[in-house]
Every structure is written in C-alpha cells, then in structure tokens.
Amino acid sequence: QVQLVESGGGSVHVGGSLRISCVVSGVTLEYYSIGWFRQAPGKEREGVCCLGRSDENVQYSDSVKDRFTVIRDNAKNTVYLQMDDLKPDDTAVYYCATDLGAAPGPDCAHYSPIYYYWKNGVWGQGTQVTVSS
C-alpha cells in the first residue's frame, strides 16, 4: 500500500524559513514524480512544485520560484520542501502527492490537482503552514 505522510509544518514570521517533509512508503521514491500542492482557506488547491524522476526535472509555480526548493533523499524515501522568505500568502495546508507514474508524457508535464492522474493518485494528509506578519 502506497502512503505519503507530510510533517514539519508550523508557524513562522514573515521572511522566515521552514522545511516540510514527505515520507513515501510502499514504493521506491526514485521511480516516481512527487508534487507539492497547497490549499489556503477559501481557495482552490494549487500546484507548488513538481519533481520528476530526474532531479533535473523540477518545476515551480511563479509564486514560489526562487524562494522554495524541493529536495529528494532516495535513501530515506523522503522529499523535502525548503521554504525561504515566507510570506503571508504562503499560509496554507501543504500536501505531497504522486501520480504513481500513470500520467502520460514527460514527468510533471501536467501536474495539477485537477488533472485526472494526479487527482486520482496518492495524497498525503497535509501539514499546516502559517506565516504571520
């Protein structure tokens, strides 16, 4: 059974940093793409970044580019999201997910919470990140 478990969320002040984790079990991480998504109160879930099977294949949303970094540790079957220079708009529940390799085409080409293969992939339970001014 494939499971993803996020942890490391918390409260930080504007400009602060936080690293959240996604531990993957049931599959070997290096063979799958992992996406990070977030959902703020009253807003739709959105994509934050996606890491393909190759570490060179990584995409970030414009809102987090140059501030967030995704890191894979295959030995620990864990993906980290390093978040720097945090802003109040980053406040959300953060989720990691995998499409289990089902999505056609290049890795992460269509990573989106509403795209069929991601929507019906495996998701974690989420971890809350709160940024206060």
Side-chain angles (χ1 to χ4, degrees):
Q1 181 180 0
V2 182
Q3 283 189 312
L4 280 66
V5 179
E6 304 94 336
S7 64
S11 297
V12 296
H13 291 297
V14 169
S17 297
L18 203 60
R19 175 177 287 201
I20 57 178
S21 304
C22 172
V23 178
V24 180
S25 61
V27 293
T28 301
L29 173 63
E30 64 181 307
Y31 299 135
Y32 297 95
S33 300
I34 297 294
W36 280 100
F37 303 85
R38 67 186 181 185
Q39 187 164 19
K43 295 186 177 181
E44 295 186 352
R45 194 169 296 188
E46 64 176 356
V48 174
C49 65
C50 183
L51 177 64
R53 285 170 290 178
S54 166
D55 286 351
E56 286 71 41
N57 183 356
V58 58
Q59 300 179 32
Y60 296 95
S61 68
D62 288 342
S63 62
V64 306
K65 195 175 297 182
D66 299 326
R67 298 188 299 120
F68 288 14
T69 305
V70 62
I71 304 160
R72 188 206 327 258
D73 186 336
N74 288 332
K76 295 183 178 180
N77 240 37
T78 301
V79 177
Y80 303 95
L81 184 64
Q82 176 67 39
M83 304 181 290
D84 298 317
D85 190 22
L86 283 161
K87 304 176 181 182
D89 284 349
D90 295 318
T91 295
V93 177
Y94 284 72
Y95 302 88
C96 59
T98 178
D99 65 348
L100 292 177
D107 291 349
C108 299
H110 303 290
Y111 92 98
S112 164
I114 63 173
Y115 183 54
Y116 176 84
Y117 295 102
W118 283 94
K119 181 180 180 180
N120 292 284
V122 179
W123 290 72
Q125 83 290 349
T127 186
Q128 175 71 47
V129 172
T130 303
V131 184
S132 59
S133 56

